[in-house]
């Protein structure tokens, strides 16, 4: 089905280190899944594989034709204006018009001609999102996209991602190490450990969500991550 992701028995080794080890995961079309796990557990490795950036794997997976990825660092080309960063690599379309439309969606229409180095962290990350969206992905891979942002900017980005997801309805695999962020945004939260998915939680709460609505679930997810956090209780 368009937008669906299916991963079966996926394994990945770097030298003798087996980072992914028989990983199974299904994502339904339009589903928003958050992937949690300790640093170094293989989250970025999984996303890179799904994005087609690493073909040396065992096991099987299928992803839709159109996949976009956004990273923790916006990775904009400093010598290209904002709109050119967005339209780079698009063919057969009016790049400027397409970029402007995407910029309007992330509320940066006035920055089309700006240079990347003049943007704030949050603005650069919005450009990065616009660049991912302009390809109209059926699967959007987000690798800790807001990890470097301050709390207020982060909060605004959560609302933006939720809105963009609702309007475009890609399937989303959102990597974060922030349990609250996962529970605020995702339909389902999965935990990666020792190379496979060891826990999952469906988040059946109306959006927009408030932290107060998932206090108990938060404790459960933290426990899955091996965190016995008294502050969470
Ligand atoms: N290209 C690579 N060569 C060797 N080891 C790698 C490479 N990429 C990642 N690793 C290792 O694989 C493990 C998982 O990395 P990564 O997927 O980046 O973790 P995460 O994103 O969960 O923090 C780490 O131990 C990392 O050092
Ligand atoms: Mg990573």
């Amino acid at each position: 089905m368009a937008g669906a992701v299916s991963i079966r028995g996926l394994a990945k080794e770097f030298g003798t280190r087996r980072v992914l080890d028989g990983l199974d995961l299904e994502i339904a079309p339009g589903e928003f899944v958050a992937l949690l796990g300790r640093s170094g557990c293989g989250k970025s490795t999984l996303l890179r594989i799904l994005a087609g950036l690493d073909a040396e794997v065992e096991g099987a997976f299928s992803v839709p034709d159109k996949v976009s990825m956004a990273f923790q660092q916006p990775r904009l080309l400093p010598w290209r204006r904002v709109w050119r960063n967005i339209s780079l690599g698009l063919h057969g379309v009016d790049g400027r018009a397409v970029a402007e439309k995407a910029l309007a969606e992330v509320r940066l229409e006035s920055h089309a001609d700006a240079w990347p180095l003049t943007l704030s962290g949050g603005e650069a990350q919005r450009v990065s999102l616009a660049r991912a969206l302009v390809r109209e992905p059926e699967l959007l891979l987000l690798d800790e996209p807001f990890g470097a942002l301050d709390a207020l900017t982060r909060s605004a980005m959560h609302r933006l991602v939720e809105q963009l997801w609702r309007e475009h309805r890609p399937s989303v695999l959102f990597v974060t190490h922030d349990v609250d962020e996962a529970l605020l945004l995702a339909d389902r939260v999965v935990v990666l450990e020792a190379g496979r998915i060891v826990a999952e939680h469906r988040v059946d709460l109306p959006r927009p969500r408030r932290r107060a609505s998932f206090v108990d679930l938060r404790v459960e997810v933290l426990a899955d991550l091996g965190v016995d956090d008294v502050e969470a209780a």
Side-chain angles (χ1 to χ4, degrees):
M1 229 187 313
V5 175
S6 176
I7 305 170
R8 291 286 162 83
L10 188 68
K12 171 73 195 176
E13 287 175 357
F14 291 113
T16 57
R17 180 155 155 50
R18 203 164 172 83
V19 174
L20 301 179
D21 188 14
L23 185 145
D24 297 322
L25 180 65
E26 306 281 326
I27 303 178
E31 188 183 19
F32 195 131
V33 174
L35 176 67
L36 285 164
R38 287 167 183 278
S39 180
C41 75
K43 304 181 296 297
S44 296
T45 299
L46 174 61
L47 258 56
R48 289 176 48 80
I49 291 168
L50 297 180
L53 299 173
D54 187 345
E56 280 182 35
V57 298
E58 294 163 44
F61 67 94
S62 64
V63 293
D65 291 338
K66 290 198 271 181
V67 180
S68 286
M69 181 146 162
F71 305 87
Q72 178 164 2
Q73 300 305 329
R75 302 191 182 187
L76 305 177
L77 302 176
W79 58 88
R80 300 256 196 225
R81 292 184 191 274
V82 160
W83 76 268
R84 284 230 183 254
N85 264 281
I86 293 173
S87 66
L88 207 69
L90 292 178
H91 302 289
V93 293
D94 177 348
R96 172 89 195 191
V98 168
E100 280 183 355
K101 182 164 168 282
L103 280 169
E105 288 203 67
V106 298
R107 288 177 223 109
L108 275 181
E109 47 274 71
S110 58
H111 289 62
D113 290 309
W115 297 104
L117 291 175
T118 66
L119 303 176
S120 71
E123 287 168 346
Q125 206 47 275
R126 274 144 72 195
V127 173
S128 166
L129 274 181
R131 184 180 52 189
L133 283 172
V134 92
R135 285 158 180 80
E136 294 175 23
E138 299 159 276
L139 172 64
L140 182 59
L141 303 168
L142 300 171
D143 195 355
E144 307 203 36
F146 313 136
L149 303 178
D150 64 87
L152 280 178
T153 308
R154 226 164 201 241
S155 209
M157 293 297 284
H158 292 159
R159 287 192 295 275
L160 179 63
V161 160
E162 192 170 287
Q163 184 195 331
L164 293 172
W165 169 68
R166 201 177 301 129
E167 283 164 9
H168 295 266
R169 278 289 164 171
S171 308
V172 178
L173 186 55
F174 180 94
V175 166
T176 176
H177 55 254
D178 182 332
V179 175
D180 282 13
E181 186 166 85
L183 293 172
L184 279 169
L185 294 174
D187 295 315
R188 186 157 54 102
V189 173
V190 300
V191 177
L192 178 61
E193 190 190 305
R196 54 181 77 184
I197 303 299
V198 295
E200 66 173 313
H201 297 270
R202 190 157 284 288
V203 191
D204 273 324
L205 296 168
R207 298 177 168 92
R209 295 180 185 148
R210 303 164 66 89
R211 284 180 166 76
S213 68
F214 51 69
V215 176
D216 293 340
L217 193 49
R218 183 172 188 273
V219 176
E220 286 180 37
V221 176
L222 281 167
D224 290 334
L225 288 163
V227 182
D228 188 14
D229 185 0
V230 283
E231 284 178 28

